[in-house]
Amino acid sequence: MYTIFEKLHIEGEKMLHWLPFIIYFLINCYLLWHSWQRYRLTGQRVTLVATFIYLTAILVLCLTPTLFSVASAHKQLFYFAGTPYNAIPFQGISPEFFLNIIMTFPWGVFLYLFNRHRSWQKVILYSFALSLFIEANQFIWDLLINLGRLADIDDLITNTIGAIIGFAVMYLLDKTILHRLITHLCLK
């Protein structure tokens, strides 16, 4: 049997695993509130709310505790202070490879809606930045509080590719009959 203090300690450790999500969720809330003051058109606010929902979903998918891994490819992992990571790209193709592309496709859409005149170099940079944010946080938080996540070079690559594809699709759609709708949703 556990004493009341042991139970509180166990529950406290469980709550600690949610710390990354809580921190970034609060930042996401602040960014929405701050942007809400700046952008007043309905289409722009739809884009802001959709971005908020998307980033919250990314936080849930990538920075909450997990006891399992969806990675199905066998990979040679490296360890730093007991924290695993994959530094060798494309050791095997798994469903996770394609899921990461799908997961970050919307980020490319939002990059387009934030500024459709952005250069391709910046699209690549911002796509890579989101992916690096996810993977670095997974590694750091796993190192600090054993989040149960795996930082993976494959994810860095596929996440970046997914966002670039999303931006490219929006670029092409903006040249169609959907131009007026896309213009309504754009922040710039």
Side-chain angles (χ1 to χ4, degrees):
M1 279 196 210
Y2 292 115
T3 67
I4 187 78
F5 296 110
E6 290 171 328
K7 287 181 183 179
L8 287 174
H9 178 72
I10 291 168
E11 290 303 315
E13 282 187 12
K14 288 180 184 176
M15 289 295 296
L16 185 62
H17 288 106
W18 285 88
L19 186 61
F21 172 79
I22 292 167
I23 290 170
Y24 291 121
F25 178 75
L26 292 174
I27 291 170
N28 196 19
C29 290
Y30 171 77
L31 291 173
L32 175 64
W33 176 81
H34 180 70
S35 299
W36 196 263
Q37 308 303 317
R38 182 174 176 194
Y39 299 102
R40 301 201 178 268
L41 297 176
T42 303
Q44 293 173 329
R45 288 188 168 178
V46 166
T47 298
L48 292 176
V49 170
T51 305
F52 173 82
I53 292 168
Y54 170 72
L55 290 176
T56 300
I58 290 293
L59 293 174
V60 169
L61 289 171
C62 301
L63 293 178
T64 55
T66 183
L67 298 174
F68 63 91
S69 174
V70 295
S72 58
H74 297 286
K75 299 178 179 183
Q76 176 187 352
L77 300 179
F78 296 90
Y79 293 85
F80 176 81
T83 301
Y85 63 95
N86 174 31
I88 302 173
F90 306 117
Q91 293 183 50
I93 303 296
S94 69
E96 183 182 9
F97 180 90
F98 301 103
L99 291 174
N100 281 322
I101 291 173
I102 293 167
M103 177 183 78
T104 53
F105 179 91
W107 180 244
V109 170
F110 291 123
L111 285 177
Y112 192 85
L113 294 176
F114 296 158
N115 182 358
R116 61 182 157 180
H117 304 293
R118 185 167 301 185
S119 71
W120 284 98
Q121 291 86 358
K122 286 190 178 180
V123 171
I124 294 168
L125 176 68
Y126 294 147
S127 301
F128 181 78
L130 176 70
S131 184
L132 184 61
F133 169 82
I134 293 168
E135 297 306 311
N137 270 280
Q138 287 180 337
F139 180 79
I140 291 167
W141 287 107
D142 196 50
L143 185 65
L144 295 174
I145 60 173
N146 192 21
L147 196 57
R149 297 294 179 159
L150 175 68
D152 192 335
I153 189 72
D154 291 345
D155 295 353
L156 191 64
I157 295 166
T158 55
N159 291 345
T160 303
I161 290 169
I164 292 168
I165 292 170
F167 189 91
V169 166
M170 287 300 290
Y171 177 81
L172 295 173
L173 288 176
D174 200 12
K175 308 246 182 264
T176 69
I177 195 168
L178 297 175
H179 171 73
R180 191 170 182 192
L181 173 64
I182 291 170
T183 299
H184 183 67
L185 296 172
C186 282
L187 301 184
K188 277 188 176 180

